[in-house]
Amino acid sequence: MKSNSQLAPVYEAFEVAQDCFCVASATLATERSADSSDSIDGVKGRSPEEVLDEALKQTEELTVVALWAVFERDLIEYVRSTVKWLSNGRPESYARNLVDKVECEAEFWRVGDILDLFKGEIDTHQIARIKEIKRYRDWIAHRNPRRSVPPAFSPEEVYGHLTELWGRISEAHCVAPETTSRAEVGPFSAGDRDRDAPVPASHVRSPPSTRPRRSVDRPRSDDR
């Protein structure tokens, strides 16, 4: 199985969109200063500033949803691939049936239960933080009024936490970080460090961006 992580491209696309909002905001400010009559039209009774603010908010939230979707898919695929080493167990028929069952049913496991599999090698506080991101993602997607609004995470925070987790998993499982595909991976002992068990390179912790960060000057809502 070969797969490239799309976490980095998703976040980079958000950065491009954010820069576009910055350009639009700066252009609007320039036009405002040059037009004292305040004749710049908004959309459906809202000012251009309000429209930009809402569009940026929606972009941030959709980026969080997209990042989580990529992470969850990669997590499921990682679990499905790591159980293949069990196929060498005995008796052979039992081992093969066990691997087949996990590969088929991992798709339907709760992501919280999958994350719990890494307890003992990953700090429990880090796992809890990832679960909080999941709660925020669910709130964005469903807006269930019967549930309390969870703490919000920015796209930068989500990208950072998710890539950091993959870095921890790679370290704990002795996975070579420089490779870009996942073969048959599993938890290895120190003597197995040279085995070919790669995962996507972007699963190793890296800074979200090396270029200066820019943001639209706007107040962040506390009720998001």
Side-chain angles (χ1 to χ4, degrees):
M1 176 181 62
K2 294 185 177 180
S3 174
N4 292 324
S5 172
Q6 294 300 307
L7 284 176
V10 170
Y11 185 76
E12 288 166 3
F14 165 72
E15 286 191 312
V16 172
Q18 191 177 49
D19 285 346
C20 291
F21 283 115
C22 290
V23 171
S25 180
T27 301
L28 182 61
T30 300
E31 292 182 357
R32 286 287 193 202
S33 62
D35 188 354
S36 58
S37 63
D38 196 32
S39 60
I40 301 177
D41 294 330
V43 177
K44 295 182 179 180
R46 294 182 297 167
S47 69
E49 290 85 356
E50 291 174 327
V51 173
L52 279 177
D53 183 83
E54 180 61 26
L56 179 56
K57 177 182 176 181
Q58 291 289 333
T59 301
E60 290 174 341
E61 292 182 344
L62 291 175
T63 300
V64 170
V65 173
L67 287 169
W68 182 265
V70 171
F71 169 78
E72 185 171 347
R73 168 50 48 193
D74 281 343
L75 190 65
I76 293 171
E77 292 302 318
Y78 183 78
V79 170
R80 293 175 65 182
S81 63
T82 55
V83 299
K84 292 183 182 296
W85 65 277
L86 292 173
S87 61
N88 296 324
R90 295 291 186 274
E92 292 183 4
S93 59
Y94 170 79
R96 184 170 56 253
N97 291 336
L98 179 61
V99 170
D100 290 343
K101 184 174 181 63
V102 173
E103 287 185 333
C104 291
E105 297 185 5
E107 184 76 28
F108 308 102
W109 290 354
R110 292 179 179 272
V111 69
D113 293 337
I114 297 178
L115 289 169
D116 287 341
L117 294 175
F118 298 96
K119 286 183 175 179
E121 58 202 52
I122 306 298
D123 182 72
T124 56
H125 295 292
Q126 187 173 16
I127 292 178
R129 188 182 303 115
I130 301 301
K131 291 181 178 180
E132 283 296 306
I133 292 176
K134 173 62 161 58
R135 286 187 59 215
Y136 181 54
R137 174 267 169 203
D138 290 347
W139 183 83
I140 292 174
H142 305 293
R143 310 277 182 178
N144 189 337
R146 293 188 297 273
R147 294 183 179 272
S148 60
V149 180
F153 292 85
S154 69
E156 182 178 13
E157 290 172 328
V158 172
Y159 177 71
H161 289 315
L162 297 184
T163 53
E164 182 179 16
L165 179 67
W166 276 121
R168 299 293 186 188
I169 292 174
S170 298
E171 293 172 2
H173 291 188
C174 305
V175 175
E178 67 276 6
T179 54
T180 57
S181 66
R182 292 194 223 90
E184 295 184 0
V185 277
F188 308 132
S189 64
D192 296 324
R193 290 177 183 271
D194 293 332
R195 289 177 55 181
D196 179 22
V199 295
S202 56
H203 282 166
V204 180
R205 182 69 174 96
S206 59
S209 176
T210 56
R211 61 196 181 113
R213 296 270 302 161
R214 292 184 292 176
S215 61
V216 177
D217 293 332
R218 63 181 182 86
R220 297 184 65 88
S221 174
D222 292 332
D223 59 352
R224 291 173 54 189

